Amino acid sequence: MRAHVRVPATSANLGPGFDALGLALALHNEVIAEEGQGVTVRIEGEGADRLARDGNNVVARGVRLAYETAGRPFKGCALTCVNRIPTARGLGSSAAAWVGGLLAGNALAGAPLSKETLLALAARAEGHPDNVAAAIFGGLTVSCGTSEGVIAVALPVPPSLVWVVLVPEVTSSTAEARALLPQSVPRVDAVFNVQRVALLLASLQTARPAPLATALDDRLHQPYRLKLFPWLPEVAAAARAAGALGCVLSGAGPSLLAVVAGDGGPVARAMETTLRKAGVSGSARALAVDVDGATSQIR
Ligand code: HSE
């Protein structure tokens, strides 16, 4: 009996929605898992040269966590991971690993855990709920941590919008990018973000893209992260000049996400060119929204 799991990439924050918004993108990792004695991990694609191949592998830890939560003894598993999500780039590769492992473990154990339990486990493991919620539910998700777990709501995304992702050829650690953030912020900045995240959701839900040009601004995390990504303002300005409504850090970076109401090609090229001028190479392309979220099957 094998579990086949497919998990989308995710872009968290979408500008002002720090630790609250996530968007699932049509770029998927796959996990094929079966029970075994001890842990073996075969990795193809992204991270194959770096990721752990023993019980420390995050997908394997997810399988174990699902078994333990379900009260089943975990003896081991044989995993094949097909990784298409670039690692350490702000596209939810670690969320995909936790979700992939948890869903695989849950499927092998006979699906005893609900999506809500899997979400709570994944959010606790990640330390923030935004990527894992989008990875589990698909589409645009709003997630909210509570003392009992995580409440997540998936919303439709206007099909007219094009999402361009620029992936620089440098990596960044989420922990490092979070350590740069202050413990408290001025009220004026909190209000700035509350207004924009509300405008962002209103604009997407009414399919009126014009307000996005304002709604994608942020004062809670991006200004502090410029230390790591000093080229962000220039690349974002180039994206807007090429027709994007806005351009934001994808999650904790270094990838960028531009929103376009039209052709994404010129925006992608402008982002790549401007990044290269700043001394960093990278490639940009439009990605469709994944509306299904993670899926698991027993075959
Ligand atoms: N909300 C998280 C952060 C996302 O910005 O730190 C990390 O992928």
Side-chain angles (χ1 to χ4, degrees), residues 219-248:
R219 286 192 188 164
L220 288 190
H221 70 106
Q222 291 182 167
Y224 305 102
R225 290 173 163 171
L226 292 180
K227 246 188 198 171
L228 296 174
F229 318 115
W231 33 262
L232 167 59
E234 282 156 61
V235 179
R240 281 193 298 271
L245 289 156
C247 175
V248 297

Side-chain angles (χ1 to χ4, degrees), residues 86-89 91 165-171 229 231 253-256 275 280-284:
T87 55
R89 309 290 171 87
L91 290 170
V165 176
L166 170 69
V167 185
E169 283 176 11
V170 291
T171 56
F229 318 115
W231 33 262
S255 293
L256 301 188
L275 184 70
V280 182
S281 32
S283 66

Side-chain angles (χ1 to χ4, degrees), residues 23 25 157-165 244-246 257-265 267 285-289:
L23 182 71
L25 297 166
V157 183
S160 56
L161 293 176
V162 172
W163 305 86
V164 175
V165 176
L245 289 156
L257 178 73
V259 190
V260 189
D263 184 2
V267 172
R285 63 173 161 147
L287 286 176
V289 173

Side-chain angles (χ1 to χ4, degrees), residues 269-287:
R269 285 192 294 277
M271 291 169 83
E272 283 177 355
T273 306
T274 313
L275 184 70
R276 200 174 320 118
K277 278 190 197 145
V280 182
S281 32
S283 66
R285 63 173 161 147
L287 286 176

Side-chain angles (χ1 to χ4, degrees), residues 9 12 36 83 98 110 118 124 150 189 192 211 245 251 265 283 285:
N83 291 348
W98 278 111
L118 293 166
R124 198 178 317 135
V150 175
D189 289 354
F192 182 98
L245 289 156
S283 66
R285 63 173 161 147

Side-chain angles (χ1 to χ4, degrees), residues 10-13 17-21 90-95 126 128-131 174-175 177-178 181 221 225 249-253:
T10 48
S11 180
N13 303 330
F18 179 73
D19 277 3
L21 299 185
L91 290 170
S93 63
S94 80
E126 271 274 280
H128 50 91
D130 40 1
N131 292 98
T174 298
R178 288 178 84 80
L181 307 183
H221 70 106
R225 290 173 163 171
L249 204 56
S250 178

